[in-house]
Amino acid sequence: MKAQTQKSHQIALSVALISWGMLFATLFLGYAVYRFQMPQWPTAGVRTAPLQWPIISTILVVLSSVSCHLALVHYRTLRSAPFRVYTWISWCLGLAFFVSQFLFWENLSQVGLYTQSGIYASLLHGMTWIHAAHMALAMIGLTTILFLAYRESSMGSRQTLVSHLTTFWHFLGIIWILMFIVLFIL
Amino acid sequence: MTYVHAKHDAPTTFWSKYIVSYDHKVIAKQFLWYGIFFLGVGGLMALLIRWTLAFPGQPFPVIGHMLFPHTDGVVPPDTYAMLFSLHGTIMIFYAITPILIGAFGNYCIPLMIGARDMAFPLLNMLSFHFAALSGLILLASLFLPLGGAAAGWTSYPTLSTLIGSPGLGQTFWCLAIFVLGISSTMGAINYITTIISFRAPGMGYFDMPLTIWGLWLTAILNAIFIPVLGAGVLLLLFDRLFGTTFFLAGAAATSGTGDPILFQHVFWIFGHPEVYILILPAWGIVSDLLSFFARKPAFGYKATALSMTAVTVLSTLVYGHHMFTTQMSPLLTQTFMTLTMTISIPSAVFFANWLGTIWRGSIRFDSPMLFALGVVFVFGLGGLTGLYLGTVTTDLYLHDTYFVVGHFHYTMAASVLLGGFAATYFWFPKMFGRMMNETWAKVHFWLTMIGLNGVFFGMMVVGWGGMHRRLYNPFVYEFMEKLIPMNTFITWSAILMGIGQLPFVYNFIHSMFYGEKASENPWQVGTLEWTLPSPPIHYNFEEIPVVKCGPHEFGNPNLNNGRDFQYQTEELVKGPQA
């Protein structure tokens, strides 16, 4: 029965990830259309986005994915103390990611890349906003897990929740890395 | 392996039973009422549009002065734009979708596959509440200072940007559609998971009723393509709220242009599958009903299921035919045209199967069957006229004319509406435990059929004559004056169709309270929901049924129990030599 429940949850998660994947794929498609239509990128007279905060965000995302995975491993083996530690670390790294994003947006304004500053700036803002909104959802989930981590009785009984949240976290990490490569490197 | 819900007690308070119910049957009824309400709102808008086209400058009767006091009851031009925009939006997203997918999807899936509920009842409840929130946002937009959205149901930029649509109406539209998208995605996740994991033991995919096939394929398309529209409206929302320039162009984009055509691509990548999202459940329902009421097994059951699957796949590859006039490269237009024509093949297969099913059947012309036959007729017409629009050369002339409006009303409105009515008459006894009145149902059918064919065929005629859609008063152009009588005819047909819905409303409400009590299986059909009392108990099945045969076992000559059908829970009766 438990295995079957997990199976239906896995199907649901797969479908949900396909849906989210399509949302982000559409954004990347839009980016490609804009990019390939322009003779010059960024458009003439527009400054390139500073890389400092996106690099920090990327490091934070990778680290948080690692700590989320370790938290899941300890949850599965019912080791509550390290599970709590790694969940706290993930939560803090998630929060730090948000701080880095706010600083990035601030940085964009400082170099004159406002939301109204043309399609290049629109893409930088729009895509990172949508990603951040999903990260906020994931942070709510992580906060819930953090609460559960202090209820000894629930240890091990929320495998599906913890495992799916970890998968979602990894998914958002992969999306961020793709965005980093596409928006800032290529 | 089948997973089953544990049973628990039925809710007892009004709040838990009707407002925050987890029960799929209650949620189905919530979606049904929601859809019928919006059908009324969208229908009234249609009458206002038609009145304006037939009698330009004349006040709308009875309620005109109340609705438009500043123009003495005449629909003003800006309101006209809002009316056709919101009529399309409401009918597609808030009437047809909730009725066929929300109501009958929720009601039929667990009952027809032998499950006690959806896979995720909480998600199911939230799906309705998000839809309700979305409906409220859209309705609220009608009361904004500059009114609701007025850029067409497709909301193409730049018309839908702040330059073309100032005020908050279009912003509310974007928000409402985004929230509704969340609701639909939740529903899709639930439907797909339920059908994969919760089928009764013994029920393979080719033992499922075709209704379930249609709903399943619809859910798959929903899960994949609703987020595409979601991304598009989010970016449009950013353009309107934060000044980004995703879809701005020309003088509107003072600091670097975006691309308005990109929105059209995104819209139709979603929009063409959306046509099938709406129609697949109707196809499934009709495929089942034709078999049930012809008292014959569905002809070519597997071919029908696989054809529907093929259409689902192909529907994702043809969206470009909506954009032949956007200076698309000829190589692309020809590719999209060829792919569009390819859809005719699987469509023709299941259409032929429908005819094969009723051929030499012992047809019972009960109201669900009449409406199902109505779908066969109008879908035939709608499908055939689609060939003209899928062909580049004819589409260049017909694009944006009333021919397009007539065509998509035949396919999306007529087929789906009649399919929805067929489903309502068929499952009403199971839903409410009472029968609807057959005489009123037949009056409803004939008035609707005559009315809708007058409207939609008339639209194609005036479109062929060159009348463009979305014009407030096309008759200011001299060459269109000759189309006034035809437009008057269309409007009277629309009024007939509108009046034709009154028997349905009366019949529905009266039958809920005073209709004849329904037996367990009034239509003598073998699918699983008809093994249950009408209405079914909380949690549907005391014991999960075991499926032993297909859903269309009719007219078996070896049956000797006085019935001409078998329940899916019965072993298939074979002849002595078998």
Side-chain angles (χ1 to χ4, degrees), chain B residues 270-309:
Chain B
F270 149 80
H272 196 78
E274 169 70 5
V275 175
Y276 294 93
I277 285 169
L278 298 177
I279 209 168
L280 276 162
W283 285 350
I285 289 165
V286 167
S287 303
D288 277 339
L289 293 188
L290 291 178
S291 164
F292 295 161
F293 287 90
R295 315 307 291 171
K296 274 180 66 190
F299 183 84
Y301 166 92
K302 279 189 182 175
T304 302
L306 293 174
S307 300
M308 281 162 55
T309 311

Side-chain angles (χ1 to χ4, degrees), chain B residues 100-114:
Chain B
L100 271 168
I101 305 174
F104 290 107
N106 257 306
Y107 198 78
C108 294
I109 289 175
L111 288 173
M112 292 182 103
I113 65 170

Side-chain angles (χ1 to χ4, degrees), chain B residues 176-197:
Chain B
I177 293 295
F178 188 77
V179 174
L180 194 68
I182 297 173
S183 156
S184 293
T185 310
M186 285 174 170
I189 291 169
N190 226 341
Y191 288 11
I192 294 169
T193 310
T194 306
I195 292 170
I196 293 175
S197 310

Side-chain angles (χ1 to χ4, degrees), chain B residues 337-393:
Chain B
M337 181 176 78
T338 310
L339 286 166
T340 303
M341 296 301 149
T342 314
I343 286 198
S344 310
I345 299 167
S347 305
V349 170
F350 69 73
F351 197 88
N353 284 350
W354 286 352
L355 300 181
T357 301
I358 55 177
W359 178 253
R360 303 191 71 180
S362 307
I363 298 176
R364 296 177 180 176
F365 288 100
D366 293 311
S367 50
M369 182 60 163
L370 283 180
F371 280 95
L373 290 171
V375 175
V376 175
F377 176 72
V378 296
F379 177 69
L381 267 177
L384 286 174
T385 53
L387 295 175
Y388 296 90
L389 299 170
T391 307
V392 182
T393 43

Side-chain angles (χ1 to χ4, degrees), chain B residues 507-564:
Chain B
N507 196 0
F508 191 97
I509 295 171
H510 184 265
S511 302
M512 271 177 65
F513 300 104
Y514 306 110
E516 181 195 334
K517 291 252 184 198
S519 64
E520 196 171 89
N521 189 3
W523 308 116
Q524 296 178 298
V525 168
T527 45
L528 295 176
E529 78 274 29
W530 301 106
T531 62
L532 298 169
S534 304
I537 54 166
H538 183 65
Y539 264 80
N540 305 343
F541 297 92
E542 276 293 341
E543 297 295 329
I544 296 299
V546 177
V547 171
K548 295 173 182 162
C549 64
H552 308 116
E553 299 300 343
F554 290 98
N556 183 342
N558 301 308
L559 274 175
N560 55 7
N561 56 5
R563 286 197 256 120
D564 70 340

Side-chain angles (χ1 to χ4, degrees), chain A residues 4 19 34 37 115-116 118 122, chain B residues 1 223-224 242 245-246 255 259:
Chain A
Q4 287 164 345
S19 295
Y34 292 123
Q37 277 180 350
T115 53
Q116 307 92 329
S122 295
Chain B
M1 287 292 276
I224 296 173
F242 306 116
T245 60
F246 291 109
S255 53
D259 185 358

Side-chain angles (χ1 to χ4, degrees), chain B residues 3-23:
Chain B
Y3 170 55
V4 296
H5 285 286
K7 285 186 279 188
H8 61 67
D9 293 336
T12 47
T13 64
F14 181 86
W15 180 258
S16 61
K17 199 172 176 183
Y18 296 110
I19 310 295
V20 291
S21 174
Y22 287 12
D23 185 348

